[in-house]
Amino acid sequence: MSTTRGFFRRRSGDDERLPPGQYLERGFPVLSAGPTPHTPLDQWDLSITGAISEERTWTWEQFLALPSEDFTVDIHCVTTWTKLDTEWTGVSIDTLLDGVELEGGYLTALCDGGYTTNLPVEDVTGGKAWVAYRYDGDELEPEHGGPARLLVPHLYFWKSAKWVRRLIFREDDEQGFWEQLGYHDRGDPWLEQRYQGD
Ligand SMILES: Nc1nc2c(c(=O)[nH]1)N[C@H]1C(S)=C(S)[C@@H](COP(=O)(O)O)O[C@H]1N2
Ligand SMILES: [Mo]
């Protein structure tokens, strides 16, 4: 079998992992709608609030003591880059919701700095989403959402809210920052749900 130099740049199968309209990115671009917040860890906490049977808050220490998972996922930004096999450590949303009854089908992720994004509950439960605090073997850098960010890799990356502090559960879907500006309420990259109406 003959091969070319270019053949080695991609492993076979990578193309099938690219959603429509996406290209393969090797770097890790930073996309932030505002300045990077630097909340001291002793002032940081994470809460689940709203339409749930019991609101909960974790300090940084309590959050780190929760059972965590290492996971490797592909991420897809709506600006058309896709990065394969990114390695993270985080706490599954299922773990945060363990023993809590949900009273609504949607949530808003609220971040330091005020960024918000909306999601259906089904997209963050069942092992599909985490609050991640380590990336590629290191603490998550502030530019990429440290100390902790939401990671919902099966949806466009704007749903993966950096510097997340609160998950607000709701009965009705309420649009977040990019969604109010015309981006899709769900954002499935395989269905190319970039804008409202896609
Ligand atoms: N708090 C917050 N989270 C955010 C954003 C933001 O501006 N603020 N940008 C979103 C967008 S559009 C993308 S593509 C990813 C970028 O994450 P990165 O900078 O780690 O690549 O974060 C998402 N989460
Ligand atoms: Mo994005």
Side-chain angles (χ1 to χ4, degrees), residues 31 77-79 157-158 178:
L31 284 105
C77 177
V78 74
T79 62
F157 209 33
W158 87 78
W178 284 118

Side-chain angles (χ1 to χ4, degrees), residues 28-34 37 75-79 81 88 110-117 140 143-145 149-150 156-164 177-178:
F28 194 174
V30 171
L31 284 105
S32 303
I75 53 181
H76 312 288
C77 177
V78 74
T79 62
W81 57 266
W88 305 83
L110 173 63
C111 306
D112 275 331
Y115 182 89
T116 54
T117 190
L140 181 58
E143 288 70 22
H144 285 299
R149 76 180 296 167
L150 190 62
Y156 280 124
F157 209 33
W158 87 78
K159 298 288 184 182
S160 292
K162 304 196 281 191
W163 318 297
V164 68
F177 178 81
W178 284 118

Side-chain angles (χ1 to χ4, degrees), residues 70-71 87-90 131-140 147-148:
D70 297 327
F71 55 98
E87 295 180 16
W88 305 83
T89 302
V131 175
Y133 56 93
R134 292 183 68 79
Y135 169 72
D136 207 21
D138 274 308
E139 288 174 9
L140 181 58

Side-chain angles (χ1 to χ4, degrees), residues 7 11 19 25-26 66 68 88 97 102 118 121 132 163 165 194:
F7 181 85
R11 285 155 308 156
E25 170 66 53
R26 294 288 184 197
L66 292 171
S68 66
W88 305 83
L97 291 175
L102 296 175
N118 54 304
V121 160
W163 318 297
R165 292 288 300 277
R194 298 177 191 273

Side-chain angles (χ1 to χ4, degrees), residues 53-131:
S53 58
E54 179 204 325
E55 300 193 331
R56 290 182 179 167
T57 301
W58 296 269
T59 65
W60 179 249
E61 271 185 12
Q62 291 169 334
F63 172 68
L64 287 190
L66 292 171
S68 66
E69 298 171 11
D70 297 327
F71 55 98
T72 302
V73 292
D74 302 343
I75 53 181
H76 312 288
C77 177
V78 74
T79 62
T80 74
W81 57 266
T82 283
K83 189 169 174 57
L84 302 180
D85 296 319
T86 62
E87 295 180 16
W88 305 83
T89 302
V91 176
S92 169
I93 306 304
D94 298 319
T95 300
L96 301 179
L97 291 175
D98 191 31
V100 172
E101 246 173 75
L102 296 175
E103 291 154 2
Y106 301 92
L107 70 145
T108 296
L110 173 63
C111 306
D112 275 331
Y115 182 89
T116 54
T117 190
N118 54 304
L119 295 141
V121 160
E122 295 86 59
D123 279 312
V124 301
T125 51
K128 292 194 286 288
W130 298 263
V131 175

